[in-house]
Amino acid sequence: MTWPAIVDRDPVTIAIGTSGAAPTLARLLRARIESVVPPAVAALASLGESWRARVKARLTHPAARARFWERFFEGPVGEAALAGDGPAAERHARDLLDGAASAGPPAGHVHLVGAGPGDPELLTLRAQRLIRAADVIVYDRLVSAEILALARADAERVYVGKRRADHCVPQQEIIATLVEQARRGRRVVRLKGGDPFVFGRGGEEVEGLRAARVSYDVTPGITAAAGCAAAIGVPLTHRDHARTCTFVAGHLKDGTLDLDWAPLAAREQTLCVYMGLATVRQLTARLIGRGLDPGTPVAVVVDGTRSTQKTLFGTLGDIAGRIASLDPSRPAMILIGSVVSIAVDIVDQPAARAPDRRPRERAPYPAHAAA
Ligand code: SAH
């Protein structure tokens, strides 16, 4: 095989191939890569090689070795080697290894990380950094493939979402997996759709980790209500429409939709219903029964912020009859309240990709008088 373009920093070799499709592109890419991979990378790689046997002998724990090498290349050792200061790099490497050897096996840690509603651009910087550094990623159904792709190629991926026949992995089993992985000294990222603490059972996982004395921290994520509202240009609160915003879980508890209805039917409020597609008929009927206007605007956002986003508009009175066309296996957010009348025109382009949206030319609902 011949490579049209090679960046040679022996022992480091970067080859760019286009399968013959665009050799000029390969050459241009090579020029860019040349400019960001300094020639001293060769010396850094050789330095690593010269330390391999010593590191292997003194750090017997695989996680400790993995951690050591990251620090070796990214810390003062790498900096000195890239600056051409060989003796300083050797000195730093010795200190680093002494420190790692006396520290013993690394303690594992679990990061509970919110992955947001799906669009990778809506990840926090911290979430991105933790995903990239993780030794193992424990994720479920709502985490999008693009976000998972940010993990290292060698990171282990453990799926704990719904299995066949819609059976969830029991929560205790998920907690046991997190604990076991952390006890092996690994950096575990528990990735959860949206925010880990909004209808995500993050609280139970935290309790389980605490009981097992495993250290953890939590990184918030953009919850589906916020993501979906932004994607269709609907403010969750607005001085003229809603002074309260309520997050509700619409799934059944013991076969019934067991909610405290009176506060949900209060005026000047936005309701954000999670997991509500299957029960929307009961939900809307109960709200109307409690006195909420059947003309109240409703939006159902499926796959919010993803390229597959689909939005359906209606009213409290007619939305249940309209949702038949939606795929019940996809995540859907139901937004209820007069704020929905503010929705922008081009709704199925996530905000980040459609900065030039214009307001609706024709209001879909009767204008809502300011309260
Ligand atoms: N922790 C998550 C919610 C988990 S419950 C969060 O903070 O967003 C799962 C429900 O979230 C789904 O049934 C759906 O109602 C909602 N959801 C999650 N992602 C969504 C998306 N991209 N679009 C629409 N709804 C979504």
Side-chain angles (χ1 to χ4, degrees):
M1 184 182 282
T2 56
W3 295 101
I6 283 181
V7 179
D8 184 5
R9 303 277 190 263
D10 184 47
V12 178
T13 311
I14 302 167
I16 306 130
T18 61
S19 304
T24 306
L25 178 62
R27 190 170 49 72
L28 294 172
L29 287 174
R30 176 190 156 191
R32 274 204 226 169
I33 293 169
E34 288 268 4
S35 71
V36 293
V37 181
V41 143
L44 180 56
S46 301
L47 182 69
E49 190 178 23
S50 74
W51 277 83
R52 273 203 105 67
R54 273 174 282 177
V55 172
K56 201 160 181 202
R58 289 188 67 191
L59 303 180
T60 47
H61 198 288
R65 274 205 303 277
R67 216 76 53 94
F68 171 87
W69 285 118
E70 271 169 29
R71 295 200 185 118
F72 184 96
F73 291 115
E74 289 196 331
V77 182
E79 278 166 31
L82 291 177
D85 189 346
E90 287 284 347
R91 225 174 24 250
H92 289 309
R94 212 165 17 247
D95 292 349
L96 188 64
L97 183 54
D98 286 345
S102 61
H109 186 87
V110 176
H111 302 283
L112 245 74
V113 177
D119 180 351
E121 293 214 309
L122 294 179
L123 279 177
T124 60
L125 294 175
R126 195 201 294 172
Q128 234 181 86
R129 176 168 59 75
L130 295 175
I131 292 169
R132 291 213 166 100
D135 299 315
V136 51
I137 306 235
V138 180
Y139 68 102
D140 45 45
R141 204 168 60 99
L142 285 175
V143 175
S144 69
E146 293 121 296
I147 287 174
L148 218 52
L150 295 173
R152 294 196 322 246
D154 66 334
E156 189 181 334
R157 291 158 169 78
V158 181
Y159 176 69
V160 292
K162 283 192 177 160
R163 287 177 181 159
R164 267 186 305 151
D166 252 17
H167 288 306
C168 291
V169 175
Q171 195 60 44
Q172 284 313 317
E173 209 177 293
I174 297 176
I175 293 170
T177 303
L178 298 176
V179 169
E180 193 236 290
Q181 292 283 352
R183 287 198 174 139
R184 286 166 63 185
R186 305 174 93 184
R187 274 170 305 197
V188 185
V189 162
R190 168 66 172 121
L191 251 192
K192 294 163 100 52
D195 181 90
F197 282 172
V198 177
F199 302 130
R201 304 189 72 174
E204 289 160 64
E205 292 179 12
V206 158
E207 279 162 10
L209 293 169
R210 231 184 261 172
R213 300 186 170 278
V214 168
S215 71
Y216 68 88
D217 57 35
V218 183
T219 299
I222 292 181
T223 191
C228 292
I232 62 169
V234 167
L236 290 177
T237 65
H238 188 297
R239 286 160 66 108
D240 298 336
H241 295 267
R243 291 189 289 184
T244 314
C245 171
T246 305
F247 292 177
V248 195
H251 63 32
L252 299 174
K253 198 169 147 192
D254 305 326
T256 54
L257 197 54
D258 182 23
L259 296 167
D260 187 4
W261 295 100
L264 296 182
R267 267 147 239 291
E268 287 191 56
Q269 175 171 222
T270 306
L271 295 179
C272 308
V273 188
Y274 291 70
M275 300 170 281
L277 216 47
T279 53
V280 70
R281 192 170 294 279
Q282 285 180 61
L283 178 93
T284 51
R286 296 294 290 269
L287 291 174
I288 292 168
R290 285 284 179 158
L292 215 54
D293 179 1
T296 305
V298 177
V300 181
V301 187
V302 178
D303 273 349
T305 80
R306 303 175 185 216
S307 56
T308 45
Q309 177 178 308
K310 192 173 161 156
T311 311
L312 215 101
F313 289 96
T315 61
L316 203 56
D318 71 12
I319 197 73
R322 289 169 178 261
I323 60 159
S325 64
L326 300 178
D327 176 355
S329 72
R330 305 303 314 161
M333 172 58 50
I334 305 171
L335 299 171
I336 302 171
S338 78
V339 287
V340 171
S341 63
I342 304 170
V344 288
D345 205 9
I346 306 164
V347 292
D348 288 336
Q349 298 281 322
R353 289 170 214 138
D356 58 343
R357 292 175 305 180
R358 280 157 297 155
R360 277 173 189 276
E361 278 160 27
R362 173 175 53 83
Y365 309 105
H368 287 266

